[in-house]
């Protein structure tokens, strides 16, 4: 294995031109990078660039891995270089001249004894021209092109020949304009020597690395130091493809360690929570029949899956350890009634419950349902359901706040308004968060802290209609208990999904007319044009006008997020009551809207939507007994084609109605960062491991983490701090 000092000891080849000269100059000025050293001098642009990229600690630099490698370990004969191959040669300059036509350029002919090659530079310094004077012996690296004029290289890197050849491949790092490669190479080489890379895995707890055969048929033993040193400076005999596809054991070792850090931090969070106290929610005397009274009034019986998850939640809440549970279920699987029964459990025990939803429409709908279900059984106890939202009249808000503070409000439903400072609960025991991935970590924490003043934590129930694929649940949500409603209420007919070209829009409109005439209702969703909300709205408005014109006698409504709250509310009421036949909307109806009589969903420009989003939208129909359909209108681009991902998404929608399968495919298409929306919430994501590919390593980490915390807490703490540093834990809260 080569020495990491290699990069520092080899002067970089100059590439000629102003930028390269500027880079080389910058590298010289910053010749002794020591990002960790306390320096009183103002940081150089390169040091600032390092900071900007988050490369502040030695370990961060050590973990900044090459994008690719260059092979400077060999000198090849020009004659053997193939067209398009990047090679390193040593050759003598036989001719050098500056040409002025068709533009100013330096043409240098070199000969290595096997063949000639012409080097061309469009920008160059006099000093570089001098280095390439006739008779000079140069080491040159570049891409060989064979053309009419013979072999050519454009702007190759060069320097005076001589000096030892490196024994390892040269790393090329992700960098920025103000961070020259040469500087980064030196900084990383130094950091690799200085960083504490000592073993943190307990003895005998090695990850299952893929079987690779080393030179002698033996598997090299990798610890972190070996793995990193190798990945920064691999020996030239390595199969580059194993580095590129990250299957090399050195890569695997890194991924295993990263996954272990993630698991340790999640298990630690879980253990920390186990030390906190939460109210023990057992029915108070005289309240014990609240649940029964609730069930008696419900117009349907619970499915077996609903009963099971209610049992899981209630068991959690009877313990003094705060519940931290995710309730997941496909669209329309009946999560709201489970949330209501959880609320009843906390009310029965004499405590308050809060339910927070990401949009006002959704919160309002929950409120309507919960009032209908709960007020008749709460009224005899002198309790109420309170409503809190941003757009609320001052007087009403003050009344609601008083209800919450006095405890008269047994349940509080609302939007983000629920976590505002003025909201003082008397005794909050359960916080239910709908569509939890739409809230940031900070907001979830704020809700939990609503009780923290009393020295206790509320139980937390998070709901999601986008099921979290198994691998994500095992990694990012390892500290979460998961309840799954894996059954739809009886009597539902599967939704039929049809892909129809935009050019057949009028046929679709005809079908809408027929649906409405049959007493059914229809949603028409217009796409979100991210760059322009104004355009977005004008599009929805135009569609609204067009449909109104095409469907005389049908009430066509319009709903978008910019409308005043009262207007939105009025439109939703008309649609929910079945008076309005067609609702044209932007994606504001995406989550949770529940109008069982709606049986046709049309999504315009469906190729622009994400997969989970399409599934959510489709889930607005098929919520009653009637057969429902979803029409995905698509339009092709100027070349008459759909983009590949667009096609992939629409195909997935047509193929399956299963939310779990959709989520799996969505994760595949978008990757975990986008899928979890974690980029927005700023939570650290896995950098090296790939959950789909590295399931074996994930299993290893999951299995080891609790044992390591138990038996080797010091190693565990060192491991987590090395990998996560001062950063927040992976999606904690
Ligand atoms: N066990 C059941 N039997 C019959 N109908 C049910 C049952 N449970 C719920 N429902 C009804 O099914 C519909 C969907 O329920 P709900 O709105 O709770 O679904 P959800 O899981 O929240 O879906 P989404 O994520 O799409 O909002 C509602 O009209 C609800 O009243």
């Amino acid at each position: 294995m080569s020495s990491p000092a290699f990069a520092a000891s080899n002067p970089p080849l100059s590439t000629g031109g102003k930028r390269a000269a500027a880079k080389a100059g910058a590298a010289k000025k910053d010749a002794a990078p020591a990002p960790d050293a306390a320096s009183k001098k103002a940081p150089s642009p390169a040091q600032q660039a390092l900071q900007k990229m988050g490369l502040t600690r030695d370990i961060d630099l050590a973990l900044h891995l090459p994008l690719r490698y260059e092979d400077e370990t060999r000198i090849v004969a020009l004659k053997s270089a193939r067209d398009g191959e990047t090679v390193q040669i040593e050759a003598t300059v036989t001719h050098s001249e500056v040409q002025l036509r068709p533009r100013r350029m330096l043409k240098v002919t070199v000969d290595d004894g096997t063949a000639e090659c012409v080097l061309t530079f469009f920008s160059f310094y006099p000093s570089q021209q001098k280095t390439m004077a006739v008779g000079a012996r140069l080491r040159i690296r570049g891409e060989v092109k064979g053309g009419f004029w013979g072999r050519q290289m454009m702007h190759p890197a060069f320097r005076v020949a001589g000096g030892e050849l490196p024994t390892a491949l040269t790393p090329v790092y992700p960098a920025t304009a103000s961070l020259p490669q040469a500087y980064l190479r030196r900084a990383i080489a130094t950091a690799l020597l200085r960083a504490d890379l000592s073993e943190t895995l307990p003895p005998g707890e090695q990850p299952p690395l893929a079987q690779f055969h080393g030179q002698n048929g033996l598997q090299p033993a990798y610890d972190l130091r070996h793995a990193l040193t190798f990945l920064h400076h691999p020996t030239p005999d390595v199969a580059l493809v194993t580095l590129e596809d990250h299957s090399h054991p050195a890569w695997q070792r890194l991924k295993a360690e990263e996954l272990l850090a993630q698991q340790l931090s999640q298990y630690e969070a879980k253990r920390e929570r186990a030390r906190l106290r939460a109210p023990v929610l057992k029915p108070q005397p005289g309240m014990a029949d609240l649940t029964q009274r609730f069930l008696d009034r419900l117009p349907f019986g619970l499915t077996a899956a609903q009963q099971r998850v209610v049992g899981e939640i209630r068991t959690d809440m009877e313990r003094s350890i705060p519940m931290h549970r995710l309730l997941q279920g496909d669209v329309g699987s009946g999560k709201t009634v489970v949330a209501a029964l959880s609320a009843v459990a906390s009310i029965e025990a004499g405590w308050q419950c809060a339910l927070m939803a990401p949009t006002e429409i959704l919160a309002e709908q929950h409120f309507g349902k919960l009032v209908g279900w709960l007020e008749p059984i709460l009224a005899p106890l002198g309790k109420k359901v309170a409503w809190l939202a941003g757009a609320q009249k001052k007087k009403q808000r003050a009344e609601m706040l008083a209800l919450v503070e006095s405890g008269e409000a047994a349940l509080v439903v609302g939007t983000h308004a629920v976590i505002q400072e003025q909201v003082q609960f008397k005794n909050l025991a359960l916080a239910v968060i709908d569509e939890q991935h739409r809230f940031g970590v900070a907001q979830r924490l704020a809700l939990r802290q609503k009780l923290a003043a009393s020295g206790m934590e509320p139980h937390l129930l998070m709901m999601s209609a986008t099921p979290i694929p198994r691998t994500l649940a095992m990694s990012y949500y390892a500290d979460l208990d998961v309840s799954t409603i894996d059954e739809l209420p009886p009597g539902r007919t599967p939704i039929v999904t049809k892909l129809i070209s935009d050019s057949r829009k009028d046929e679709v409109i005809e079908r809408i007319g027929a649906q409405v005439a049959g007493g059914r209702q229809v949603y028409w969703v217009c796409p979100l044009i991210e760059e322009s909300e104004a355009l977005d709205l004008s599009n929805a408005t135009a569609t609204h006008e067009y449909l109104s014109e095409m469907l005389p006698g049908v009430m066509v409504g319009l709903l978008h997020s910019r409308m005043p709250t009262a207007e939105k509310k009025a439109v939703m009421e008309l649609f929910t009551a079945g008076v309005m036949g067609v609702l044209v909307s932007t994606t504001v109806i995406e989550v949770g809207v529940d109008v069982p009589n709606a049986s046709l969903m049309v999504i315009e420009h469906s190729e622009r939507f994400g997969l989970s989003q399409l599934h959510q939208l489709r889930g607005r129909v098929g919520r009653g007994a009637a057969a429902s359909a979803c029409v995905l209108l698509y339009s092709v681009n100027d070349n008459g084609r759909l983009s590949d991902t667009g096609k992939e998404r629409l195909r997935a929608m047509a193929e399956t109605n299963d939310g779990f399968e959709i989520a799996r495919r969505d994760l595949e298409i978008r990757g975990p960062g986008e899928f979890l929306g974690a980029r927005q919430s700023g939570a650290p994501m896995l950098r090296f491991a790939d959950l789909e590919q590295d399931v074996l390593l994930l299993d290893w980490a999951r299995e080891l983490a609790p044992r390591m915390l138990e038996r080797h807490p010091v190693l565990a703490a060192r491991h987590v701090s090395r990998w996560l540093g001062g950063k927040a834990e992976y999606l904690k809260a």
Side-chain angles (χ1 to χ4, degrees):
M1 195 154 293
S2 73
S3 148
F6 151 77
S9 63
N10 276 274
L13 300 183
S14 155
T15 51
K18 284 184 199 161
R19 235 170 102 205
K23 275 188 181 181
K28 219 182 235 166
K29 215 165 53 212
D30 300 318
D36 273 12
S39 155
K40 292 217 171 69
K41 273 193 264 161
S44 68
Q47 281 167 336
Q48 284 174 15
L50 280 185
Q51 269 169 15
K52 231 178 171 171
M53 290 171 78
L55 303 178
T56 49
R57 307 173 304 160
D58 282 334
I59 185 71
D60 301 326
L61 281 159
L63 291 173
H64 190 65
L65 291 185
L67 273 178
R68 58 186 176 84
Y69 303 90
E70 283 175 354
D71 188 356
E72 293 178 359
T73 63
R74 293 180 303 142
I75 303 289
V76 304
L78 246 180
K79 201 173 156 195
S80 66
R82 288 180 312 258
D83 187 20
E85 192 182 358
T86 298
V87 293
Q88 179 166 260
I89 56 167
E90 276 198 359
T92 306
V93 178
T94 56
H95 184 77
S96 168
E97 81 173 294
V98 175
Q99 293 183 358
L100 297 174
R101 269 172 236 281
R103 54 182 282 200
R104 190 171 180 271
M105 64 180 113
L106 173 64
K107 289 259 182 198
V108 177
T109 310
V110 295
D111 189 329
D112 76 343
T114 68
E116 277 196 337
C117 180
V118 178
L119 319 180
T120 306
F121 300 90
F122 290 115
S123 61
F124 51 92
Y125 283 97
S127 60
Q128 293 174 318
Q129 196 181 348
K130 221 163 122 193
T131 309
M132 290 187 280
V134 173
R137 182 93 182 143
L138 301 177
R139 184 173 293 173
I140 302 155
R141 192 169 189 288
E143 186 186 339
V144 182
K145 288 272 177 212
F148 181 72
W149 303 106
R151 289 186 179 79
Q152 305 251 358
M153 282 191 195
M154 299 290 285
H155 279 261
F158 67 91
R159 68 176 166 89
V160 175
E164 270 179 42
L165 285 170
T167 52
L169 300 180
T170 307
V172 180
Y173 294 108
T176 60
S178 50
L179 191 59
Q181 278 294 328
Y183 179 91
L184 199 49
R185 283 182 191 148
R186 272 193 295 272
I188 291 174
T190 313
L192 262 179
L193 289 177
R194 231 174 17 198
D196 169 20
L197 298 175
S198 55
E199 182 66 292
T200 45
L201 299 192
E205 300 278 15
Q206 293 297 307
L209 302 186
Q211 287 302 310
F212 268 79
H213 291 286
Q215 270 169 339
N216 307 321
L218 296 171
Q219 167 98 20
Y222 279 101
D223 60 14
L224 185 62
R225 176 174 293 286
H226 279 99
L228 283 176
T229 309
F230 184 81
L231 291 175
H232 284 288
H233 304 292
T235 45
D237 60 346
V238 67
L240 272 178
V241 61
T242 65
L243 297 181
E244 279 157 13
D245 70 6
H246 300 179
S247 61
H248 192 278
W251 258 109
Q252 301 240 325
R253 168 76 193 209
L254 223 60
K255 297 172 177 196
E257 291 217 2
E258 181 184 42
L259 287 166
L260 179 62
Q262 185 203 39
Q263 293 295 313
L264 284 171
S265 96
Q266 302 248 327
Y267 275 100
E268 183 54 28
K270 199 167 188 168
R271 285 198 341 174
E272 259 173 42
R273 217 178 15 260
R275 284 192 276 271
L276 300 171
R277 277 190 328 117
V280 174
L281 300 181
K282 292 226 167 100
Q284 293 284 304
M287 299 262 227
D289 58 348
L290 212 56
T291 300
Q292 198 49 53
R293 273 189 278 154
F294 176 89
L295 291 173
D296 290 346
R297 293 184 49 85
L298 211 57
F300 49 77
L302 297 185
T303 61
Q306 284 169 325
Q307 284 174 24
R308 173 172 45 76
V309 301
V310 168
E312 288 164 359
I313 293 165
R314 289 192 155 209
T315 308
D316 272 4
M317 296 197 304
E318 285 179 9
R319 300 191 308 160
S320 61
I321 298 171
M323 171 170 75
H324 197 59
R325 190 170 276 280
L326 177 73
L327 169 61
Q328 60 176 3
D330 207 346
V331 287
S333 59
K335 293 180 287 293
T336 320
V337 73
V338 173
L341 271 158
S342 312
V344 168
S346 71
I347 299 167
E348 229 169 23
W351 292 76
Q352 284 172 301
C353 170
L355 188 149
M356 182 163 84
T359 66
E360 199 154 334
I361 291 188
L362 189 54
E364 178 102 39
Q365 181 182 281
H366 283 322
F367 178 69
K369 258 193 198 163
L370 292 166
V371 166
W373 283 337
L374 291 174
E375 286 224 322
I377 58 169
L378 292 181
L381 304 170
K383 302 269 183 197
K384 290 197 164 126
V385 182
W387 166 247
L388 282 173
Q392 200 168 20
K393 294 227 167 67
K394 257 193 174 158
K395 188 166 163 258
Q396 192 199 14
R397 188 175 176 75
E399 276 171 25
M400 292 294 163
L401 289 176
L403 286 180
V404 178
E405 202 165 344
S406 69
E408 198 179 331
L411 172 63
V412 184
V413 182
T415 56
H416 295 80
V418 172
I419 48 171
Q420 272 159 7
E421 235 180 278
Q422 313 92 298
V423 186
Q424 300 288 339
F425 288 88
K426 181 173 177 237
N427 61 355
L428 179 68
L430 170 66
V432 182
I433 306 183
D434 195 13
E435 290 304 314
Q436 52 88 27
H437 58 279
R438 294 199 161 202
F439 291 101
V441 172
Q443 288 161 326
R444 277 182 262 161
L445 273 178
L447 192 48
R448 277 173 52 185
Q449 279 158 5
K450 285 282 172 203
L451 191 73
S454 66
M456 285 216 250
E457 289 270 318
H459 296 285
L460 197 59
L461 179 67
M462 294 171 263
M463 303 206 285
S464 172
T466 305
I468 296 171
R470 199 178 85 91
T471 47
L472 279 192
M474 279 177 0
S475 53
Y476 289 99
Y477 292 99
D479 72 327
L480 209 65
D481 298 309
V482 180
S483 286
T484 305
I485 309 183
D486 50 8
E487 173 186 12
L488 291 179
R492 303 261 172 95
T493 349
I495 306 165
V496 176
T497 301
K498 289 228 162 81
L499 308 187
I500 296 181
S501 159
D502 227 358
S503 55
R504 291 171 53 202
K505 208 190 253 183
D506 288 349
E507 284 171 45
V508 175
I509 296 175
E510 257 175 53
R511 189 154 158 208
I512 293 178
Q515 285 285 317
V516 179
R520 300 275 161 216
Q521 289 166 280
V522 179
Y523 293 102
W524 183 293
V525 178
C526 301
L528 195 74
I529 301 164
E530 278 183 12
E531 311 84 67
S532 159
E533 201 179 351
L535 206 58
D536 190 13
L537 298 188
S538 78
N539 188 18
T541 316
T543 306
H544 174 240
E545 276 169 24
Y546 184 66
L547 288 180
S548 307
E549 202 177 296
M550 298 289 286
L551 296 165
V554 175
M555 187 192 275
V556 182
L558 175 64
L559 190 71
H560 59 72
S561 53
R562 285 280 187 87
M563 272 161 56
T565 309
E567 218 173 293
K568 268 194 249 176
K569 205 172 154 185
V571 171
M572 265 329 281
E573 272 169 15
L574 284 171
F575 193 68
T576 310
V579 179
M580 185 179 280
V582 180
L583 180 60
V584 177
S585 157
T586 54
T587 50
V588 284
I589 57 148
E590 179 192 337
V591 281
V593 171
D594 183 39
V595 180
N597 189 47
S599 60
L600 177 61
M601 160 70 65
V602 181
I603 306 176
E604 213 177 341
H605 280 300
S606 54
E607 74 282 355
R608 295 187 190 162
F609 291 91
L611 191 47
S612 294
Q613 202 178 12
L614 285 174
H615 183 64
Q616 277 294 322
L617 286 167
R618 174 170 64 182
R620 296 316 104 211
V621 294
R623 301 171 82 86
S628 296
C630 173
V631 172
L632 300 175
L633 283 176
Y634 64 86
S635 59
V636 291
N637 62 19
D638 296 342
N639 306 328
R641 298 182 49 190
L642 265 176
S643 73
D644 284 347
T645 44
K647 215 185 282 172
E648 214 177 320
R649 287 192 296 244
L650 298 189
R651 195 180 302 139
M653 284 294 290
E655 279 171 9
T656 180
N657 265 326
D658 176 355
F660 285 84
E661 177 58 17
I662 295 268
R664 198 188 59 74
R665 296 206 198 176
D666 196 21
L667 174 66
E668 225 170 71
I669 298 172
R670 288 196 295 165
E674 295 292 329
F675 184 88
L676 294 171
R679 295 241 161 94
Q680 292 100 296
S681 70
M685 302 300 296
L686 289 167
R687 284 166 58 192
F688 302 118
D690 176 322
L691 293 175
E692 291 297 315
Q693 271 175 24
D694 302 321
V695 181
L696 274 183
L697 298 177
L698 177 59
D699 284 343
W700 166 82
R702 259 162 54 88
E703 199 264 325
L704 173 58
R707 191 152 27 93
M708 187 166 164
L709 279 172
E710 198 61 45
R711 296 192 200 155
H712 305 277
V714 178
L715 283 180
R718 261 181 50 212
H719 189 85
V720 171
S721 119
R722 171 181 291 169
W723 278 89
L724 299 179
K727 291 177 211 144
E729 286 96 6
Y730 284 84
L731 284 180
K732 189 182 161 187

